[in-house]
Amino acid sequence: QRLKVAYALERVSAGEKVTVAAHAAGYGSSQNLARAVKQRAGGSVSVQAASLTIQNGGQIASTAAGIGPGGDIAVTIAGAVNLAGVALDGSVSGITASATPGSQGAAGQVTLTAGGALSLSGGAQISSATAGSGNGGTLIVASGGPLTLSGAGSGIVALASATASGNAGSVSVGAPQITLTSGAQIASTT
């Protein structure tokens, strides 16, 4: 099931698996997206499924691009979650909330709950970032199985960029086993 939705409150429920991937040719990314534009708040994004794969630059995303805050993202998966790779245009696979340069609204909160193993590789990220005056959102990641992050650029990251006057959000991660290799990271950076 490919997801491409814009500018609304979005809710996706799937009995089996959900896969989000960039276009086959690798141009652009496929996104489940909520965006705050001008003075309105962005809608929330909710995804529930048995398993989730996000690859080749696919994203579940929420963006604040004006005065209003970005929407929160809540992803609840009964089994395994696999986030992997980047698209040819450099778009990273992942789950992300952001506030763009010049925005005043805060980035949304990202909550991911996986009942099974959680894997991020090849530059994939779970992130909340601000490049504006609003703060970055909180990241809450919980995995019932092992959490594995591998490869440079892969990570669970809250970030305030050089253009931001807002602060990065906090990061909370829980799993029975956490493994970071080859430059992967869990971080909050202002």
Side-chain angles (χ1 to χ4, degrees), residues 15-108:
E16 294 186 23
K17 71 177 185 175
V18 172
T19 300
V20 180
H23 303 292
Y27 300 104
S29 63
S30 176
Q31 298 182 349
N32 189 8
L33 171 69
R35 177 172 283 208
V37 180
K38 298 185 181 175
Q39 296 184 5
R40 295 179 31 191
S44 297
V45 177
S46 174
V47 178
Q48 297 177 333
S51 65
L52 174 66
T53 299
I54 302 177
Q55 59 194 12
N56 303 326
Q59 297 179 354
I60 297 173
S62 172
T63 303
I67 294 172
D72 293 336
I73 299 172
V75 179
T76 305
I77 306 301
V81 175
N82 182 31
L83 286 67
V86 298
L88 292 177
D89 69 358
S91 299
V92 300
S93 300
I95 302 169
T96 182
S98 63
T100 62
S103 65
Q104 295 176 17

Side-chain angles (χ1 to χ4, degrees), residues 72-77 81 83 95-97 108-114 118 120 125-128 136-144 147 155-158 169-175 178 186-188:
D72 293 336
I73 299 172
V75 179
T76 305
I77 306 301
V81 175
L83 286 67
I95 302 169
T96 182
Q109 174 175 300
V110 176
T111 304
L112 170 61
T113 305
L118 172 57
L120 285 81
Q125 293 189 352
I126 299 169
S127 66
S128 179
T138 299
L139 296 177
I140 302 169
V141 177
S143 177
L147 169 58
I156 301 171
V157 180
S170 62
V171 177
S172 172
V173 177
I178 300 174
I186 298 173
S188 178

